[in-house]
Amino acid sequence: AQTVTQSQPEMSVQEAETVTLSCTYDTSESDYYLFWYKQPPSRQMILVIRQEAYKQQNATENRFSVNFQKAAKSFSLKISDSQLGDAAMYFCAYRRGPGNQFYFGTGTSLTVIP
Amino acid sequence: GAGVSQSPRYKVAKRGQDVALRCDPISGHVSLFWYQQALGQGPEFLTYFQNEAQLDKSGLPSDRFFAERPEGSVSTLKIQRTQQEDSAVYLCASRGSLRHNEQFFGPGTRLTVL
């Protein structure tokens, strides 16, 4: 079975600083996708960034980047120049290549300190 | 509409009542997913539709849970004889095609069973 682990229930960062959120996963598949979703208090899940397992290059989206370590099954999210609007729950998610459902971690609550 | 919508946003039910939760996916989206998100947890998969066909219902916790998508667009998640452990946020997500990796989430329905 696929499992996704987020070991940091809560994190905080000073505005304009950088923070890294951790995620590890367990799978025997070779073809899969990894995602980071942001869930603000409004509950709307918003895709932050995604990574295809077959790509060696780490994905980047503006201030958001990932450190994908396939052998270690690690997928951390780095947020640079943190902004107040980044405060939210962040969920790491896994999707098997040919499958359909997402497997989510338990989330990390990020606080941004002005 | 532009995004996935769900109604109602909030539902309070007395234990033993039946409830129906509605999801309007993005127009034209083939795939539709239901997830259950307990307080402080990540979303957990319930069921998946491809058009009107329910291809996977392995996540439904009991036979009190039933989902349908009769015309391949709007979906309804029905919970019969609600129990307190059913209290959660129910998220709906849709995906445009089988090749797309991203699921677009709705705002969820928060169900509270008293």
Side-chain angles (χ1 to χ4, degrees):
Chain A
Q2 288 79 26
T3 58
V4 179
T5 302
Q6 293 180 249
S7 59
Q8 306 155 317
E10 298 178 345
M11 291 283 284
S12 62
V13 61
Q14 206 78 29
E15 192 176 5
E17 296 295 312
T18 295
V19 65
T20 298
L21 308 184
S22 301
C23 173
T24 59
Y25 58 95
D26 183 27
T27 184
S28 58
E29 304 286 338
S30 58
D31 179 22
Y32 54 88
Y33 301 84
L34 297 164
F35 304 80
W36 279 98
Y37 275 88
K38 171 184 177 181
Q39 188 179 41
S42 67
R43 299 201 302 265
Q44 191 94 35
M45 297 276 275
I46 303 165
L47 178 66
V48 174
I49 198 165
R50 67 168 170 255
Q51 174 83 42
E52 292 87 348
Y54 64 84
K55 290 186 177 179
Q56 294 184 343
Q57 187 172 8
N58 288 328
T60 300
E61 288 286 341
N62 300 314
R63 298 182 296 107
F64 299 87
S65 62
V66 299
N67 183 5
F68 174 46
Q69 301 290 326
K70 190 171 184 178
K73 297 180 182 176
S74 170
F75 183 61
S76 61
L77 174 69
K78 186 172 82 171
I79 306 174
S80 304
D81 186 26
S82 297
Q83 301 175 0
L84 295 178
D86 295 334
M89 283 289 289
Y90 285 81
F91 290 97
C92 179
Y94 163 101
R95 180 194 158 216
R96 187 165 52 95
N100 296 289
Q101 62 171 289
F102 278 25
Y103 295 89
F104 287 87
T106 52
T108 297
S109 178
L110 179 66
T111 300
V112 180
I113 303 166
Chain B
V4 179
S5 61
Q6 293 185 244
S7 60
R9 290 295 307 276
Y10 302 90
K11 177 69 178 178
V12 178
K14 292 183 179 179
R15 190 170 53 186
Q17 281 185 331
D18 298 348
V19 298
L21 312 180
R22 176 187 170 106
C23 172
D24 285 78
I26 294 173
S27 178
H29 273 196
V30 171
S31 302
L32 186 144
F33 303 80
W34 283 99
Y35 293 86
Q36 180 189 58
Q37 186 175 19
L39 186 64
Q41 299 296 314
E44 292 195 0
F45 171 78
L46 293 176
T47 187
Y48 158 64
F49 289 86
Q50 185 176 319
N51 296 307
E52 69 278 3
Q54 189 175 20
L55 299 187
D56 188 347
K57 54 182 181 179
S58 62
L60 295 177
S62 77
D63 58 7
R64 296 186 297 104
F65 286 71
F66 173 77
E68 61 183 5
R69 194 187 186 198
E71 297 179 359
S73 54
V74 172
S75 177
T76 303
L77 176 67
K78 298 179 180 178
I79 309 173
Q80 297 177 324
R81 305 180 303 282
T82 53
Q83 300 179 6
Q84 285 188 323
E85 59 262 31
D86 300 335
S87 296
V89 173
Y90 290 85
L91 295 171
C92 175
S94 70
R95 190 175 77 208
S97 75
L98 297 182
R99 292 181 301 169
H100 278 110
N101 295 316
E102 182 179 355
Q103 294 185 9
F104 296 86
F105 284 83
T109 295
R110 182 180 295 279
L111 173 64
T112 302
V113 182
L114 303 177

